[in-house]
Amino acid sequence: KPLNGSKILLLGMAYKKNIDDVRESPSFRLLELFNRSGALVDFHDPHVSGVSIPGHAQYYKESVPLESGTLRDYDAVVIATDHTAVDYRLVGEEATLIIDTRNVMHQFLPVRAKVAKA
């Protein structure tokens, strides 16, 4: 499926695990690239309630809840920050496709979702 029109959920906006600091977070670059490709992007981060994109003050996003029903609405879930507070078992069972940039899903396999390491 092309990125244009796809719904993407970024898991983690913080710079690193279990903190709320978003300065220099690579998740902003992912958000920008997905948006530029026409994807509809949301994020979930248990430590970050909302973000503004640097240089785009009018662009503000709030963290969405991580729930069974909402996970099924996304074409892909991208794990950008591996927070301990995230229920990865739920993500693995409810998501369709997981792009795992932190190799966190290996400990929960097998899961229903297709998991791709990146």
Side-chain angles (χ1 to χ4, degrees):
K1 181 173 182 171
L3 275 174
N4 189 10
S6 293
K7 288 186 70 177
I8 308 292
L9 178 66
L10 279 177
L11 280 184
M13 286 301 294
Y15 176 72
K16 63 182 181 176
K17 182 178 189 166
N18 300 330
I19 65 168
D20 63 357
D21 188 354
V22 296
R23 291 175 296 167
E24 300 184 31
S25 172
S27 294
F28 284 106
R29 181 72 174 138
L30 291 172
L31 187 63
E32 178 187 347
L33 290 170
F34 286 136
N35 277 333
R36 189 179 298 161
S37 297
L40 308 169
V41 185
D42 289 322
F43 81 92
H44 171 79
D45 191 308
H47 302 283
V48 179
S49 60
V51 294
S52 292
I53 295 188
H56 301 281
Q58 74 281 6
Y59 187 92
Y60 179 80
K61 283 258 187 203
E62 290 187 0
S63 180
V64 299
L66 194 63
E67 300 169 340
S68 176
T70 58
L71 282 165
R72 293 178 187 165
D73 292 338
Y74 293 98
D75 297 301
V77 174
V78 178
I79 300 172
T81 310
D82 56 336
H83 293 303
T84 305
V86 171
D87 185 350
Y88 294 104
R89 173 114 8 240
L90 174 70
V91 174
E93 292 305 318
E94 299 297 328
T96 302
L97 171 65
I98 300 168
I99 314 286
D100 187 357
T101 71
R102 297 292 175 217
N103 197 29
V104 70
M105 291 305 298
H106 75 279
Q107 60 193 314
F108 300 100
L109 295 175
V111 293
R112 189 184 71 72
K114 179 177 180 182
V115 178
K117 292 191 331 188

